[in-house]
Amino acid sequence: MRRNSRETERALLEIAAEQGGCFTAAQALSVGYAYPQQVYHKTCGNWIALDRGIYRLRDYWEWGRDDLIRWSFWSQNRRGEIQAVASHDTAVSFHELGDANPARIHL
């Protein structure tokens, strides 16, 4: 099924909106962005590369914990379902619920 560019953009936005504006190259491919289109959007600055195959939409705010985004995407199973969440001192630090400053990320 072919989509027009607006439908493709809307589908990616729906995915990214649930993930803090971030998405993977595989997710972009699944909604219709071929790899040459992905390179184009990265080169033009529409997509900000956080790591290899992990992007954030340019218009989403940067929340400063790209490391947590990377770890959550790296935890995906073969169906693309994220398997990790921040926990313990990492969550306390992220949500500013105390004065924890963990040396390691807890997932």
Side-chain angles (χ1 to χ4, degrees), residues 18-33:
E18 293 188 11
Q19 301 174 155
C22 300
F23 57 95
T24 65
Q27 289 172 325
L29 185 64
S30 75
V31 297
Y33 284 101

PDB file of all heavy atoms in Angstrom, residues 18-33:
ATOM      1  N   GLU A  18       4.498   9.104  20.966  1.00  0.00           N
ATOM      2  CA  GLU A  18       4.410   8.213  22.116  1.00  0.00           C
ATOM      3  C   GLU A  18       5.779   7.883  22.702  1.00  0.00           C
ATOM      4  O   GLU A  18       5.867   7.203  23.715  1.00  0.00           O
ATOM      5  CB  GLU A  18       3.691   6.928  21.725  1.00  0.00           C
ATOM      6  CG  GLU A  18       2.234   7.163  21.387  1.00  0.00           C
ATOM      7  CD  GLU A  18       1.468   5.869  21.184  1.00  0.00           C
ATOM      8  OE1 GLU A  18       2.013   4.790  21.501  1.00  0.00           O
ATOM      9  OE2 GLU A  18       0.339   5.948  20.710  1.00  0.00           O
ATOM     10  N   GLN A  19       6.850   8.355  22.037  1.00  0.00           N
ATOM     11  CA  GLN A  19       8.208   8.022  22.456  1.00  0.00           C
ATOM     12  C   GLN A  19       9.050   9.291  22.633  1.00  0.00           C
ATOM     13  O   GLN A  19      10.242   9.288  22.363  1.00  0.00           O
ATOM     14  CB  GLN A  19       8.858   7.093  21.419  1.00  0.00           C
ATOM     15  CG  GLN A  19       8.094   5.820  21.234  1.00  0.00           C
ATOM     16  CD  GLN A  19       8.625   4.940  20.113  1.00  0.00           C
ATOM     17  OE1 GLN A  19       8.415   3.751  20.144  1.00  0.00           O
ATOM     18  NE2 GLN A  19       9.293   5.484  19.114  1.00  0.00           N
ATOM     19  N   GLY A  20       8.422  10.366  23.060  1.00  0.00           N
ATOM     20  CA  GLY A  20       9.151  11.602  23.320  1.00  0.00           C
ATOM     21  C   GLY A  20       9.740  12.243  22.082  1.00  0.00           C
ATOM     22  O   GLY A  20      10.749  12.929  22.154  1.00  0.00           O
ATOM     23  N   GLY A  21       9.118  12.010  20.929  1.00  0.00           N
ATOM     24  CA  GLY A  21       9.604  12.578  19.679  1.00  0.00           C
ATOM     25  C   GLY A  21      10.670  11.743  19.013  1.00  0.00           C
ATOM     26  O   GLY A  21      11.225  12.134  17.990  1.00  0.00           O
ATOM     27  N   CYS A  22      10.958  10.566  19.566  1.00  0.00           N
ATOM     28  CA  CYS A  22      12.031   9.711  19.062  1.00  0.00           C
ATOM     29  C   CYS A  22      11.479   8.477  18.355  1.00  0.00           C
ATOM     30  O   CYS A  22      10.356   8.054  18.612  1.00  0.00           O
ATOM     31  CB  CYS A  22      12.938   9.287  20.211  1.00  0.00           C
ATOM     32  SG  CYS A  22      13.686  10.690  21.039  1.00  0.00           S
ATOM     33  N   PHE A  23      12.300   7.917  17.496  1.00  0.00           N
ATOM     34  CA  PHE A  23      11.907   6.732  16.736  1.00  0.00           C
ATOM     35  C   PHE A  23      13.155   6.072  16.173  1.00  0.00           C
ATOM     36  O   PHE A  23      14.241   6.671  16.169  1.00  0.00           O
ATOM     37  CB  PHE A  23      10.944   7.103  15.597  1.00  0.00           C
ATOM     38  CG  PHE A  23      11.509   8.131  14.656  1.00  0.00           C
ATOM     39  CD1 PHE A  23      12.146   7.748  13.484  1.00  0.00           C
ATOM     40  CD2 PHE A  23      11.430   9.480  14.944  1.00  0.00           C
ATOM     41  CE1 PHE A  23      12.683   8.693  12.631  1.00  0.00           C
ATOM     42  CE2 PHE A  23      11.960  10.439  14.100  1.00  0.00           C
ATOM     43  CZ  PHE A  23      12.595  10.043  12.934  1.00  0.00           C
ATOM     44  N   THR A  24      12.992   4.853  15.697  1.00  0.00           N
ATOM     45  CA  THR A  24      14.111   4.132  15.102  1.00  0.00           C
ATOM     46  C   THR A  24      13.989   4.150  13.584  1.00  0.00           C
ATOM     47  O   THR A  24      12.916   4.414  13.030  1.00  0.00           O
ATOM     48  CB  THR A  24      14.143   2.666  15.568  1.00  0.00           C
ATOM     49  OG1 THR A  24      12.980   1.995  15.081  1.00  0.00           O
ATOM     50  CG2 THR A  24      14.223   2.568  17.086  1.00  0.00           C
ATOM     51  N   ALA A  25      15.090   3.826  12.921  1.00  0.00           N
ATOM     52  CA  ALA A  25      15.083   3.727  11.463  1.00  0.00           C
ATOM     53  C   ALA A  25      14.097   2.648  11.020  1.00  0.00           C
ATOM     54  O   ALA A  25      13.404   2.811  10.009  1.00  0.00           O
ATOM     55  CB  ALA A  25      16.484   3.423  10.946  1.00  0.00           C
ATOM     56  N   ALA A  26      14.010   1.565  11.775  1.00  0.00           N
ATOM     57  CA  ALA A  26      13.062   0.492  11.434  1.00  0.00           C
ATOM     58  C   ALA A  26      11.621   0.978  11.532  1.00  0.00           C
ATOM     59  O   ALA A  26      10.784   0.619  10.704  1.00  0.00           O
ATOM     60  CB  ALA A  26      13.289  -0.710  12.355  1.00  0.00           C
ATOM     61  N   GLN A  27      11.322   1.796  12.537  1.00  0.00           N
ATOM     62  CA  GLN A  27       9.968   2.338  12.655  1.00  0.00           C
ATOM     63  C   GLN A  27       9.665   3.277  11.486  1.00  0.00           C
ATOM     64  O   GLN A  27       8.561   3.257  10.947  1.00  0.00           O
ATOM     65  CB  GLN A  27       9.805   3.071  13.983  1.00  0.00           C
ATOM     66  CG  GLN A  27       9.782   2.139  15.173  1.00  0.00           C
ATOM     67  CD  GLN A  27       9.811   2.874  16.503  1.00  0.00           C
ATOM     68  OE1 GLN A  27      10.456   3.918  16.644  1.00  0.00           O
ATOM     69  NE2 GLN A  27       9.115   2.320  17.492  1.00  0.00           N
ATOM     70  N   ALA A  28      10.642   4.093  11.095  1.00  0.00           N
ATOM     71  CA  ALA A  28      10.450   4.985   9.956  1.00  0.00           C
ATOM     72  C   ALA A  28      10.229   4.170   8.680  1.00  0.00           C
ATOM     73  O   ALA A  28       9.359   4.500   7.863  1.00  0.00           O
ATOM     74  CB  ALA A  28      11.652   5.911   9.790  1.00  0.00           C
ATOM     75  N   LEU A  29      10.986   3.101   8.518  1.00  0.00           N
ATOM     76  CA  LEU A  29      10.831   2.226   7.357  1.00  0.00           C
ATOM     77  C   LEU A  29       9.446   1.597   7.342  1.00  0.00           C
ATOM     78  O   LEU A  29       8.802   1.499   6.286  1.00  0.00           O
ATOM     79  CB  LEU A  29      11.914   1.151   7.373  1.00  0.00           C
ATOM     80  CG  LEU A  29      11.985   0.223   6.170  1.00  0.00           C
ATOM     81  CD1 LEU A  29      12.336   1.007   4.911  1.00  0.00           C
ATOM     82  CD2 LEU A  29      13.019  -0.862   6.423  1.00  0.00           C
ATOM     83  N   SER A  30       8.948   1.229   8.515  1.00  0.00           N
ATOM     84  CA  SER A  30       7.644   0.552   8.594  1.00  0.00           C
ATOM     85  C   SER A  30       6.478   1.434   8.165  1.00  0.00           C
ATOM     86  O   SER A  30       5.430   0.926   7.776  1.00  0.00           O
ATOM     87  CB  SER A  30       7.401   0.016  10.009  1.00  0.00           C
ATOM     88  OG  SER A  30       7.061   1.068  10.894  1.00  0.00           O
ATOM     89  N   VAL A  31       6.643   2.752   8.250  1.00  0.00           N
ATOM     90  CA  VAL A  31       5.560   3.648   7.841  1.00  0.00           C
ATOM     91  C   VAL A  31       5.757   4.204   6.439  1.00  0.00           C
ATOM     92  O   VAL A  31       4.919   4.951   5.941  1.00  0.00           O
ATOM     93  CB  VAL A  31       5.333   4.812   8.842  1.00  0.00           C
ATOM     94  CG1 VAL A  31       4.906   4.270  10.186  1.00  0.00           C
ATOM     95  CG2 VAL A  31       6.531   5.713   8.948  1.00  0.00           C
ATOM     96  N   GLY A  32       6.897   3.863   5.799  1.00  0.00           N
ATOM     97  CA  GLY A  32       7.072   4.260   4.408  1.00  0.00           C
ATOM     98  C   GLY A  32       8.281   5.101   4.071  1.00  0.00           C
ATOM     99  O   GLY A  32       8.450   5.513   2.924  1.00  0.00           O
ATOM    100  N   TYR A  33       9.158   5.368   5.033  1.00  0.00           N
ATOM    101  CA  TYR A  33      10.371   6.124   4.747  1.00  0.00           C
ATOM    102  C   TYR A  33      11.480   5.154   4.350  1.00  0.00           C
ATOM    103  O   TYR A  33      12.059   4.482   5.202  1.00  0.00           O
ATOM    104  CB  TYR A  33      10.824   6.938   5.958  1.00  0.00           C
ATOM    105  CG  TYR A  33      10.016   8.171   6.207  1.00  0.00           C
ATOM    106  CD1 TYR A  33       9.044   8.190   7.192  1.00  0.00           C
ATOM    107  CD2 TYR A  33      10.225   9.332   5.468  1.00  0.00           C
ATOM    108  CE1 TYR A  33       8.288   9.333   7.438  1.00  0.00           C
ATOM    109  CE2 TYR A  33       9.474  10.472   5.698  1.00  0.00           C
ATOM    110  CZ  TYR A  33       8.516  10.465   6.687  1.00  0.00           C
ATOM    111  OH  TYR A  33       7.775  11.596   6.916  1.00  0.00           O
TER     112      TYR A  33
END
